Amino acid sequence: MIRSNDYPIIKPSDAVAWSECVRRVWLDNKGQLDHEQTEDAFDQLIKDRGLKHEQQVLKILHKEYDVQEATSVEHTQLLIAQETEVIYQAQIKNDDEGFIGYPDFLIRSESGKYQPADAKLSLSEKKKSIQIQLGFYRKQLGVELPAIVFLGDGSKAEIGNEANKITDKFINEMRLILANNQEPSVRYSHSKCSICPYHKHCKPKFDAKEDLSLLYGIQGRSAEGLEKIGIKSITELANINYETLPDVPYLKGSLKKKRAVFQAQSYLDGSIHKIAPINLPKGTWVHFDIEDYALTSDGNKHVYLWGFLVSSSGENEFEYVWTDEEDEDEKGWIAFLEMIKKYRSIYNDLVLAHFSQHERSTILLYAKRYDMLENETVAYLLGQDSPLFDMQKPVLESLVLPIQSYGLKDICKHPELVNFHWQDADSNGAWSIVKYDHFLNEKDVVRRKILKKEILKYNEDDVKATLRLEEWLRSDELNKN
């Protein structure tokens, strides 16, 4: 039995990494690696906005309470003993349990008990890591009072006993994780692992093992199921007849099994497998892509750029709707609808091509935001005969490709597939958000014009990429018998 003073130190700040990956939280605490920490402008932007939000909350509390900043665990204890109304940057430690926590605020209630409080950019207190962090602070303080969350939209929420279960699970699992001197075994997830700071440490191990979870469509439980029936590597899966492959979790039915086996073959030899005819709608195609900004003052996503690529007389013309400020949100939306009305009047066979469901779901969001579901143009866009066409759909339905993720850039940048190159090789959705944030905060007129030009060029490349994808999907190479 482990004695209480043998417990490893557990920090509520580990909740984010624990929610993502047990190996990541182990490496954060016990790994001694010389891995390269990549600088991410978007992550830095989020950190900066979080600190700014915290300072705004602090300013509000200063107006109502006597606020004192703690400098140590002992100083926090002294401020509590002095019945300080609000303690900023509190430091709480429990040696017996192995707990140490740093709540943004401790707010003294009428009962004399302290409520832990954090400032979070999130719009909801229900996020797992937030529940754990605030639940952890309540446990440290031994209070029944709910914790307080100052959310990113300016509202305030409370977290009470409903967080106890997930908090206890976090504590118990963290003790087991940190008591282990062996790096935990995990599965690969491209969406999570590709942006993890330990990617260069972990990825070669997955590659060397030919871990089945490297394959698109093979989840952790599917990989475990395959291993139980003796298929333990990508090579072994590639050599299986999919028609004789037994059902395993999340891999049932002939089509899913065929995709899995072909995906394994594609991973190994770079082959392209066509599993169904490629069906593209006839008509006049206009390629469409949006750029949005979620770090708004009210937390509501703002689409600042609606971009289009129009083919006219053999030439491709880039057209767009742009807004300089958040308060032009409705103006931009109306201008977008006017653009659609123009295209509809010119092309009676309009196909509005985009990639993934993001554009359609955003149109629905805006229609609801401005109470325009009954608007004729909105009904046209979202109705049964909608011109919207998701180009990811024929790719997923018809092709198995030598890639680990079926995103637009994964497909289009691949040299053996579409082979399209964005002018700024480092640009992506997060890049555009950082650029627009800089645009909003830039005072110099010339610099603002440069930033706008960079964002517009990125969006133009996005719609050019979907055009090149369309051309590739129509190519003889893919459509020969």
Side-chain angles (χ1 to χ4, degrees):
M1 181 175 179
I2 299 175
R3 291 178 289 110
S4 61
N5 59 4
D6 286 335
Y7 285 148
I9 297 298
I10 298 176
K11 310 180 298 295
S13 56
D14 283 328
V16 175
W18 175 81
S19 300
E20 294 290 332
C21 173
V22 295
R23 179 182 288 177
R24 178 170 180 171
V25 78
W26 187 91
L27 289 169
D28 281 346
N29 286 273
K30 306 194 71 169
Q32 296 182 355
L33 308 175
D34 294 326
H35 70 278
E36 181 182 349
Q37 286 279 5
T38 55
E39 292 186 5
D40 189 302
F42 180 73
D43 285 345
Q44 187 59 52
L45 173 61
I46 297 300
K47 289 178 183 178
D48 291 343
R49 292 300 293 266
L51 290 173
K52 181 179 178 181
H53 176 50
E54 181 182 304
Q55 290 301 308
Q56 290 171 337
V57 173
L58 177 61
K59 187 177 180 180
I60 293 170
L61 292 174
H62 262 300
K63 292 179 180 179
E64 190 174 350
Y65 303 102
D66 171 36
V67 181
Q68 299 293 324
E69 183 172 353
T71 57
S72 66
V73 171
E74 293 74 21
H75 190 213
T76 301
Q77 292 170 342
L78 177 62
L79 292 173
I80 290 174
Q82 292 175 344
E83 299 182 350
T84 305
E85 288 183 309
V86 174
I87 304 170
Y88 176 53
Q89 296 291 295
Q91 301 179 37
I92 316 170
K93 189 175 183 182
N94 185 316
D95 290 322
D96 289 337
E97 294 283 357
F99 295 162
I100 186 164
Y102 305 92
D104 293 338
F105 308 98
L106 293 181
I107 302 175
R108 193 170 186 271
S109 68
E110 293 180 357
S111 68
K113 302 283 188 180
Y114 279 89
Q115 289 178 274
D118 264 2
K120 299 292 185 184
L121 282 180
S122 174
L123 302 182
S124 171
E125 76 283 5
K126 297 187 184 300
K127 192 174 180 180
K128 185 191 293 186
S129 59
I130 295 176
Q131 292 273 315
I132 292 169
Q133 288 177 335
L134 275 298
F136 192 98
Y137 298 143
R138 290 181 74 236
K139 192 176 187 73
Q140 282 188 283
L141 293 168
V143 295
E144 286 296 319
L145 291 168
I148 300 169
V149 188
F150 297 99
L151 296 168
D153 61 358
S155 64
K156 188 166 66 173
E158 293 185 341
I159 294 176
N161 291 334
E162 72 278 5
N164 290 350
K165 184 176 180 181
I166 187 66
T167 302
D168 288 340
K169 181 180 179 182
F170 165 73
I171 292 169
N172 292 333
E173 290 192 6
M174 281 298 296
R175 282 177 174 156
L176 293 173
I177 291 167
L178 299 181
N180 190 350
N181 290 323
Q182 295 295 319
E183 192 173 292
S185 176
V186 295
R187 294 294 182 181
Y188 184 78
S189 167
H190 188 72
S191 60
K192 294 179 181 179
C193 295
S194 61
I195 59 174
C196 176
Y198 301 109
H199 182 260
K200 289 184 178 180
H201 168 73
C202 297
K203 183 63 161 50
K205 297 181 181 182
F206 289 115
D207 290 336
K209 185 183 175 183
E210 282 195 17
D211 194 286
L212 291 162
S213 60
L214 286 166
L215 299 176
Y216 177 83
I218 302 293
Q219 302 179 17
R221 288 184 63 187
S222 301
E224 290 173 9
L226 289 169
E227 289 176 352
K228 286 179 180 178
I229 60 173
I231 302 171
K232 298 182 179 181
S233 70
I234 294 174
T235 296
E236 290 175 349
L237 179 60
N239 291 326
I240 287 288
N241 180 345
Y242 71 85
E243 293 180 341
T244 64
L245 187 64
D247 287 347
V248 299
Y250 300 103
L251 197 60
K252 299 178 181 179
S254 178
L255 180 58
K256 284 188 176 181
K257 294 173 186 178
K258 178 193 289 188
R259 284 196 66 96
V261 172
F262 284 174
Q263 193 68 65
Q265 295 171 0
S266 185
Y267 175 92
L268 294 171
D269 60 19
S271 57
I272 297 171
H273 297 268
K274 186 177 176 184
I275 58 175
I278 300 171
N279 295 314
L280 301 177
K282 295 180 180 179
T284 303
W285 282 49
V286 173
H287 291 266
F288 167 49
D289 183 69
I290 64 174
E291 308 298 337
D292 53 55
Y293 180 76
L295 302 178
T296 57
S297 56
D298 60 4
N300 290 320
K301 178 173 72 175
H302 167 55
V303 177
Y304 60 89
L305 175 56
W306 311 76
F308 308 88
L309 191 67
V310 184
S311 297
S312 177
S313 303
E315 297 292 327
N316 295 317
E317 183 178 355
F318 178 60
E319 299 180 342
Y320 62 88
V321 172
W322 171 276
T323 55
D324 283 337
E325 305 291 343
E326 294 174 29
D327 58 11
E328 296 179 351
D329 188 72
E330 185 174 9
K331 177 183 175 182
W333 162 246
I334 297 301
F336 160 71
L337 293 179
E338 289 299 317
M339 191 75 82
I340 298 301
K341 286 175 66 177
K342 182 187 78 170
Y343 294 145
R344 187 182 183 187
S345 67
I346 298 172
Y347 312 116
N348 58 14
D349 58 351
L350 176 65
V351 176
L352 202 57
H354 56 97
F355 192 92
S356 86
Q357 284 294 310
H358 182 57
E359 277 69 24
R360 177 184 284 271
S361 63
T362 299
I363 292 170
L364 178 59
L365 173 71
Y366 266 72
K368 291 179 177 178
R369 178 181 298 175
Y370 294 110
D371 194 22
M372 293 181 66
L373 285 171
E374 302 302 319
N375 175 274
E376 182 183 359
T377 302
V378 170
Y380 164 67
L381 288 169
L382 300 178
Q384 187 173 356
D385 297 322
S386 170
L388 291 168
F389 179 70
D390 179 3
M391 295 188 66
Q392 191 179 40
K393 185 178 179 181
V395 174
L396 292 175
E397 288 180 348
S398 303
L399 299 173
V400 177
L401 306 174
I403 49 181
Q404 290 184 295
S405 175
Y406 282 64
L408 178 65
K409 291 177 178 61
D410 300 283
I411 299 168
C412 290
K413 285 186 175 183
H414 195 291
E416 301 302 321
L417 303 178
V418 179
N419 195 27
F420 177 82
H421 301 283
W422 276 253
Q423 294 183 54
D424 187 324
D426 296 325
S427 61
N428 54 35
W431 174 94
S432 68
I433 293 172
V434 173
K435 290 289 184 180
Y436 188 67
D437 185 81
H438 291 171
F439 173 86
L440 291 175
N441 293 286
E442 181 60 62
K443 304 302 181 185
D444 183 79
V445 175
V446 175
R447 180 58 186 156
R448 277 171 65 90
K449 287 182 178 179
I450 293 172
L451 287 165
K452 179 178 178 179
K453 184 177 180 180
E454 289 175 348
I455 297 169
L456 288 172
K457 181 54 63 178
Y458 167 68
N459 186 257
E460 182 177 359
D461 277 349
D462 274 355
V463 287
K464 284 182 176 178
T466 58
L467 170 62
R468 288 288 300 276
L469 174 59
E470 178 201 350
E471 293 170 348
W472 183 69
L473 291 173
R474 295 185 187 278
S475 66
D476 292 338
E477 178 186 358
L478 283 183
N479 291 283
K480 59 187 177 183
N481 292 329

